Amino acid sequence: MEVALYRPEIPPNTGNIARLCVNAGVPLSIVGEPAFDLSEKAVRRAGLDYWKDLDFYQFPSFEEFQRTKQDQGKRIFLVSKFGKKTYWDVSFSSQDVFLFGRETSGLPEEIHKGHPSDQIISIPMAETSRSINLSNAVAIILYEALRQEKTRTNP
């Protein structure tokens, strides 16, 4: 399993997600340019002492990310409020990648349009809700996928 963030905007969210990925033993990818500096110096200055343990990848574009993951035989799930399926209606596998959008604008419409609708999933929220914090959304999806994998491999 893998987590990917599309052009993240808020450094503490990305830091929390990176820590989550280290602790879950899954890679983290950044797709496109983040809105902040991810250089070694910036990461060290931010006190992210676990960053050295992170299996980290960066892709300049969604197209390159998608091509690479498809070549690896991976299934990409978009996590979006526009998903018609909720995450608990999907059977995940160890080859799945979860792509999360920007904190303020989500994933671009062109990414949604070119993606299979059964691989666009949502997290249910109250009708009056705006959104769930990005790092919380990643935790919800990732740990459900890990729970499913553990259930399949350890009856």
Side-chain angles (χ1 to χ4, degrees):
M1 278 171 224
E2 300 180 34
V3 170
L5 306 177
Y6 180 81
R7 300 182 60 216
E9 300 169 291
I10 301 173
N13 279 339
T14 301
N16 288 338
I17 293 164
R19 183 183 297 257
L20 183 72
C21 288
V22 168
N23 285 304
V26 301
L28 173 64
S29 293
I30 301 286
V31 179
E33 279 298 312
F36 47 86
D37 185 6
L38 276 176
S39 68
E40 183 180 336
K41 181 179 178 183
V43 168
R44 195 172 46 249
R45 187 174 49 238
L48 303 178
D49 60 335
Y50 52 85
W51 198 266
K52 67 184 179 331
D53 300 321
L54 179 63
D55 190 4
F56 178 69
Y57 303 91
Q58 197 161 2
F59 295 88
S61 68
F62 174 74
E63 293 75 24
E64 185 173 326
F65 166 76
Q66 183 178 40
R67 190 172 37 256
T68 299
K69 296 307 167 189
Q70 287 175 341
D71 288 349
Q72 294 171 347
K74 302 200 181 225
R75 193 169 53 159
I76 301 170
F77 281 94
L78 308 183
V79 183
S80 167
K81 68 180 181 178
F82 300 110
K84 301 293 185 232
K85 292 178 98 170
T86 59
Y87 72 94
W88 58 57
D89 292 328
V90 178
S91 187
F92 298 117
S93 84
S94 62
Q95 295 301 305
D96 290 338
V97 180
F98 305 105
L99 178 63
F100 296 82
R102 301 189 89 188
E103 287 94 332
T104 59
S105 57
L107 293 165
E109 188 176 339
E110 60 269 13
I111 291 176
H112 278 98
K113 283 183 178 179
H115 209 76
S117 62
D118 66 331
Q119 291 176 14
I120 304 174
I121 58 175
S122 66
I123 299 171
M125 297 182 289
E127 286 185 35
T128 57
S129 295
R130 285 185 23 223
S131 64
I132 295 174
N133 173 275
L134 182 61
S135 58
N136 290 338
V138 171
I140 290 167
I141 300 295
L142 178 59
Y143 274 85
E144 170 58 16
L146 290 170
R147 181 197 68 78
Q148 288 183 20
E149 186 63 21
K150 178 138 178 83
T151 302
R152 273 193 299 278
T153 58
N154 298 317

